[in-house]
Amino acid sequence: MSTSSVSKGCFVFKPSAKKKKTLDLESYFIHGCEGAESSKTRYRLCQDLWDKIKTDTELLQDELNRQILDSLLEFTKKCSLSRQHSDWTSRMRASEIPTAALVLGVNVPDHDVTFHSLSDLLRQSVTPHVVSVQAKECAALKHLMKKVLERLMDTVVAVDDDEEETEQTQLHKSVHCSLGALCDWYTSKTTKSNSPGKKRSTSVREEHHQQQPPVVIIFKDLEAFNPRVLQDFILICSRYIERLPLTFIFGVATSPSTIQHMLPHSVSSLLCIELFQSLSCTQHLATVLDKLILTPQFPFKLNGKVMQVLISIFLYHDFSVRNFIKGLQLALLEHFHSQPLSVLCCRKKEALLNVAQLGHGDLERIRQLRTFKRYMEKQEMEEQSKLTTDDTHLKEVCQKLIKELRRYHKNYYPILRCLHTLTSSLPRYPLGKQIRELHLICLEKNVWETEDYQCAMKLLRMLAKDELIVLLQRCAEILQPVKSKKIKNALVQLEELLAKFKQLDTAAAEVASSVEDCVISPVKDLQKKTDLFQLQKTLLEMNESRRSKKLSPFETLRNEALEFVDSLVKSHLPPPESQTLSEVCYYSSSGTVRRHLNATPRTSIQAALSSPFYYLQNDSLKAEDGTVSNAAPDICIAYKLHLECGRLINLYDWLEAYATVVSAAEGIDPDSDSYGKVDEVKHARFIRAVSELEFLGFIKSTKQKTDHVARLTWGGC
């Protein structure tokens, strides 16, 4: 399949008879998968959980955006209906354009979903004339006008000074790029739709709305638009507002004051702006965690380190819930691909059936699990021998352990929510303000052994009666729907404690009077004339009386309630790593997730330039550690040579060193005159390699010396 020709030409190669077999998703998953005997089952389980994540998050997105989207729909309907009546002029001047400023937050990757849902809802219930534009496609006013007209009219729009589209406009019937053409098109559309036909039983107000539906223009990323382009477009639209019922929707990522900064008063006065605030991204993330992570219904789990990586990327990079879910899906895929025992990461009934179908290889993997080894060490010698040799007995034990693991998750999350309810309103939030912070603590260690937990319990012992009763009632509401014997027993004890708190009102007054008498009596003695010894004696008696003071009924009951809460925490909130077979459900490779989601391109580029063999898979490129073969690509040779230089690199010396290495690669005799000589070809190759290094950011030109370049990377001599 090679050609050799002096002249230029076109060569045709017929395809081979054998066609490459394309692999489906399942084949890609199974290829290279450890534990191939269960790979198909694991792929099916992974696909089911993946679909569940996608479906649940879409439903959550719709629920969270429902209020703001309904408000926007009501706004556009109200503006459209008011335009047909006298109350339009009373609310705003005739030249004002109704505008909705939708503040979405800085989580820009999530905005597309919101605008897509908004456009669909507007088309379904308000108007068919909806168009969305982005700043990257509207660099000039003519581009903005063209995009708006083309997407509304669904036709080719001709721009007078646009030479690139002359051929396209000749083939298709084009429309002149002006709002006058859009007005004529809108008039013809509304006239056709208002032609006489079947009578409909609608009110006069709704009939006017149906006759003249608004034209909605959505600016997705307002901050990225050229202010001058936006100003000119608004000025032009204000001249046609009487003929064209326009409505603007501004997608604002930062602050509503952005509109004032971008538009002068002469332009912003042409807009009748109403502000709409969407749900914050942190609240959105809390809802996603609540529905997908903090629930026993979802069998796949993340350990503390992986959870911390995903949350850190969310908080410190993009605030994107969409990207957080992608990270969760990546962890799900990696877990089922790399862990053969993930075949047990499913619902309880299916997991018990899969245990019975495990082969000898999978059972050996179970015996090698760290948590199972710890479980075996606690058993008697006879039981240890049976677990090591008897596969049937091991399957029975594994079924029991799977049930215990499910029971642990069923009890863990309600108690976690109760502890968060009790501590989330304490001063300085010792266990965190968000439940995810408390969950991370519980994933890594015994929460009751931490100083923050002890501090939280001390603060809880200082709560007033009304505050404590409210918190305990919330805990009872959390435990109410849980179907677990231990949780039901805990709920009964909690309700008994609440009943005792309600019976304290009458007894509290009697105890308070007696305590007041015993505290005041020594104080009265101090008022008498006495000497220093008598004063010291009296103060010591007061101190002893305070130490030996009997606790009030409320204090006793409060301590009892907090001891009950402490016992629940110690029983149900040990870290998941303490549970046998937790590796089946928990994904723990935080490094893999960080490497895929939080990429470091500079490190990858340096690794490729230093070790080209691992990327090109060419045996001639193999070299010792720290060296690069003289047969490597030119950029790799230039990169290796530049590492041996200081901050400033002499281009001529660099070129000579490069020519010497390339001559050795070409097999030229070192004793010959042509060895290391710079010819035109080597010079051109060197210039290209240096240009590529400059493009990648390793060097830059400097004004200190004209024949030198400066290094931009660390590690210089």
Side-chain angles (χ1 to χ4, degrees):
M1 300 293 286
S2 62
T3 61
S4 61
S5 175
V6 177
S7 61
K8 295 181 180 179
C10 179
F11 303 93
V12 178
F13 300 98
K14 295 183 179 180
S16 57
K18 295 182 179 179
K19 293 184 178 180
K20 290 184 178 180
K21 184 179 180 181
T22 57
L23 299 176
D24 55 1
L25 292 175
E26 184 176 357
S27 300
Y28 275 114
F29 184 90
I30 295 173
H31 180 68
C33 185
E34 187 177 352
E37 60 273 9
S38 61
S39 57
K40 291 185 177 181
T41 305
R42 285 150 53 194
Y43 172 77
R44 179 179 55 80
L45 294 174
C46 179
Q47 189 67 42
D48 292 343
L49 290 177
W50 185 292
D51 294 339
K52 179 176 173 57
I53 292 176
K54 183 179 179 181
T55 304
D56 291 353
T57 51
E58 288 176 353
L59 293 175
L60 282 176
Q61 184 77 27
D62 293 340
E63 291 177 5
L64 294 173
N65 290 335
R66 182 175 300 165
Q67 184 177 0
I68 186 69
L69 293 180
D70 290 346
S71 301
L72 284 168
L73 290 178
E74 186 64 27
F75 169 78
T76 52
K77 288 180 180 178
K78 179 178 64 177
C79 293
S80 177
L81 293 173
S82 301
R83 196 189 301 270
Q84 310 297 330
H85 297 77
S86 59
D87 56 351
W88 168 258
T89 55
S90 63
R91 289 184 65 252
M92 61 183 77
R93 298 197 308 270
S95 60
E96 287 184 343
I97 304 173
T99 304
L102 178 58
V103 182
L104 293 172
V106 296
N107 51 328
V108 178
D110 298 340
H111 294 179
D112 287 339
V113 180
T114 303
F115 284 121
H116 181 72
S117 301
L118 175 61
S119 300
D120 290 343
L121 290 174
L122 287 171
R123 291 189 181 95
Q124 292 174 7
S125 57
V126 180
T127 174
H129 313 308
V130 181
V131 59
S132 299
V133 290
Q134 289 180 286
K136 63 182 181 181
E137 56 190 11
C138 304
L141 178 62
K142 63 178 182 179
H143 298 147
L144 176 57
M145 296 281 290
K146 183 179 179 181
K147 291 295 180 184
V148 170
L149 268 64
E150 283 183 345
R151 292 174 182 176
L152 283 174
M153 302 168 65
D154 194 19
T155 184
V156 178
V157 176
V159 182
D160 294 339
D161 55 348
D162 195 350
E163 299 178 356
E164 297 180 357
E165 306 218 352
T166 54
E167 295 182 1
Q168 185 179 1
T169 54
Q170 289 174 1
L171 295 174
H172 301 83
K173 186 178 180 181
S174 61
V175 177
H176 184 62
C177 184
S178 68
L179 281 185
L182 181 61
C183 292
D184 297 338
W185 171 84
Y186 180 80
T187 303
S188 63
K189 280 285 185 181
T190 53
T191 303
K192 290 180 182 178
S193 60
N194 296 335
S195 57
K198 294 182 179 179
K199 294 184 178 180
R200 291 173 291 182
S201 58
T202 57
S203 63
V204 176
R205 193 177 181 87
E206 293 177 349
E207 187 177 352
H208 280 297
H209 171 63
Q210 293 172 357
Q211 290 175 355
Q212 292 189 343
V215 177
V216 181
I217 303 176
I218 302 174
F219 299 85
K220 289 185 176 181
D221 45 354
L222 182 70
E223 289 90 345
F225 274 86
N226 187 335
R228 190 62 190 172
V229 172
L230 198 61
Q231 294 169 23
D232 293 342
F233 184 74
I234 294 172
L235 288 172
I236 295 173
C237 290
S238 65
R239 302 298 179 92
Y240 292 87
I241 190 64
E242 295 181 358
R243 297 174 56 192
L244 195 65
L246 290 168
T247 300
F248 291 163
I249 296 179
F250 290 160
V252 182
T254 53
S255 171
S257 61
T258 303
I259 301 175
Q260 298 176 354
H261 296 320
M262 294 183 65
L263 305 177
H265 178 71
S266 58
V267 178
S268 61
S269 61
L270 301 175
L271 305 176
C272 182
I273 302 175
E274 188 167 336
L275 186 63
F276 296 88
Q277 182 75 47
S278 68
L279 189 69
S280 69
C281 50
T282 52
Q283 292 175 311
H284 191 175
L285 176 67
T287 306
V288 170
L289 290 175
D290 188 63
K291 300 296 183 182
L292 291 181
I293 305 296
L294 305 179
T295 172
Q297 280 74 31
F298 194 67
F300 174 70
K301 308 294 179 185
L302 303 175
N303 80 334
K305 292 182 179 180
V306 178
M307 189 83 171
Q308 185 63 58
V309 168
L310 294 180
I311 293 178
S312 297
I313 293 175
F314 173 84
L315 294 176
Y316 299 115
H317 285 79
D318 53 14
F319 284 104
S320 173
V321 178
R322 184 180 179 185
N323 289 345
F324 179 88
I325 294 170
K326 287 182 178 179
L328 177 62
Q329 290 177 325
L330 171 65
L332 173 72
L333 181 63
E334 287 287 335
H335 178 67
F336 278 90
H337 188 268
S338 61
Q339 174 58 273
L341 297 176
S342 59
V343 69
L344 306 179
C345 182
C346 51
R347 295 190 177 275
K348 186 175 74 171
K349 291 183 179 179
E350 189 173 1
L352 296 178
L353 292 175
N354 290 340
V355 169
Q357 298 175 1
L358 290 177
H360 180 72
D362 290 330
L363 294 176
E364 286 298 325
R365 292 187 182 98
I366 290 178
R367 294 185 177 106
Q368 297 301 319
L369 293 178
R370 184 170 53 85
T371 57
F372 190 78
K373 288 181 178 179
R374 188 172 60 227
Y375 169 79
M376 288 182 61
E377 291 174 356
K378 298 178 182 178
Q379 308 302 316
E380 297 179 356
M381 294 298 297
E382 182 180 355
E383 179 67 15
Q384 290 183 16
S385 177
K386 292 180 66 176
L387 290 173
T388 307
T389 58
D390 191 349
D391 290 351
T392 304
H393 179 68
L394 178 59
K395 290 181 180 181
E396 295 175 356
V397 173
C398 286
Q399 289 180 336
K400 183 185 70 172
L401 295 175
I402 288 292
K403 292 179 181 178
E404 291 180 359
L405 185 61
R406 294 296 185 275
R407 198 176 300 116
Y408 163 78
H409 287 138
K410 202 170 186 179
N411 299 331
Y412 173 88
Y413 296 108
I415 303 302
L416 180 74
R417 298 180 195 279
C418 289
L419 182 59
H420 172 69
T421 300
L422 291 169
T423 60
S424 59
S425 58
L426 295 177
R428 297 186 179 181
Y429 311 108
L431 291 179
K433 187 176 181 180
Q434 302 288 340
I435 193 171
R436 65 171 184 266
E437 302 173 59
L438 177 60
H439 180 55
L440 285 174
I441 297 174
C442 295
L443 286 176
E444 295 176 356
K445 62 186 78 172
N446 292 328
V447 64
W448 60 87
E449 295 178 355
T450 62
E451 294 182 3
D452 293 334
Y453 178 82
Q454 301 300 330
C455 177
M457 296 305 291
K458 289 179 181 179
L459 292 173
L460 287 174
R461 289 188 176 90
M462 300 171 63
L463 288 179
K465 175 184 172 183
D466 295 339
E467 295 175 340
L468 185 59
I469 289 177
V470 170
L471 293 177
L472 293 178
Q473 286 176 343
R474 291 179 185 173
C475 293
E477 293 174 359
I478 293 172
L479 301 180
Q480 188 72 38
V482 181
K483 297 179 181 180
S484 171
K485 291 183 179 179
K486 291 185 178 181
I487 298 299
K488 287 183 178 179
N489 293 335
L491 178 61
V492 172
Q493 297 180 42
L494 185 57
E495 289 176 345
E496 292 176 355
L497 287 171
L498 287 171
K500 290 180 181 179
F501 275 111
K502 293 179 181 178
Q503 298 173 359
L504 287 178
D505 294 335
T506 55
E510 300 176 0
V511 174
S513 60
S514 61
V515 170
E516 183 180 357
D517 294 339
C518 66
V519 170
I520 292 176
S521 56
V523 177
K524 290 181 179 179
D525 293 339
L526 287 176
Q527 297 175 357
K528 298 179 181 179
K529 193 173 182 180
T530 181
D531 55 7
L532 184 60
F533 175 78
Q534 188 66 30
L535 177 62
Q536 185 180 7
K537 182 180 178 181
T538 305
L539 290 174
L540 288 173
E541 291 177 355
M542 289 176 61
N543 192 20
E544 291 178 0
S545 64
R546 286 176 180 174
R547 288 181 179 179
S548 60
K549 184 182 70 172
K550 187 177 180 181
L551 294 176
S552 67
F554 166 67
E555 292 173 337
T556 304
L557 191 56
R558 180 177 59 188
N559 290 342
E560 182 182 349
L562 294 180
E563 288 175 1
F564 169 69
V565 171
D566 185 61
S567 65
L568 289 178
V569 170
K570 292 179 179 179
S571 300
H572 302 298
L573 292 186
E577 293 181 356
S578 63
Q579 305 300 310
T580 311
L581 299 186
S582 61
E583 295 92 340
V584 168
C585 298
Y586 283 84
Y587 180 69
S588 58
S589 182
S590 58
T592 303
V593 175
R594 184 183 290 106
R595 186 170 62 253
H596 282 88
L597 299 182
N598 195 11
T600 53
R602 173 59 61 84
T603 305
S604 302
I605 293 172
Q606 287 180 313
L609 295 177
S610 302
S611 306
F613 166 74
Y614 296 104
Y615 291 80
L616 301 179
Q617 294 296 315
N618 189 344
D619 293 336
S620 62
L621 300 180
K622 282 187 177 181
E624 298 178 359
D625 295 338
T627 62
V628 175
S629 171
N630 52 18
D634 294 334
I635 187 174
C636 298
I637 298 174
Y639 172 77
K640 177 59 179 176
L641 292 173
H642 111 286
L643 293 178
E644 301 173 359
C645 302
R647 189 180 68 85
L648 292 178
I649 307 174
N650 188 309
L651 284 172
Y652 184 75
D653 296 340
W654 194 6
L655 173 59
E656 284 192 330
Y658 168 81
T660 303
V661 175
V662 173
S663 297
E666 294 175 351
I668 302 175
D669 186 7
D671 297 330
S672 63
D673 295 336
S674 59
Y675 184 82
K677 186 177 180 180
V678 179
D679 55 14
E680 293 181 355
V681 176
K682 293 177 183 176
H683 194 188
R685 289 167 58 186
F686 174 75
I687 292 174
R688 180 177 180 180
V690 171
S691 300
E692 291 173 346
L693 288 176
E694 185 177 8
F695 176 75
L696 294 173
F698 289 99
I699 59 173
K700 71 171 184 178
S701 58
T702 176
K703 294 182 180 179
Q704 295 180 9
K705 294 183 180 180
T706 55
D707 58 344
H708 285 64
V709 292
R711 283 186 59 182
L712 298 177
T713 54
W714 53 90
C717 300

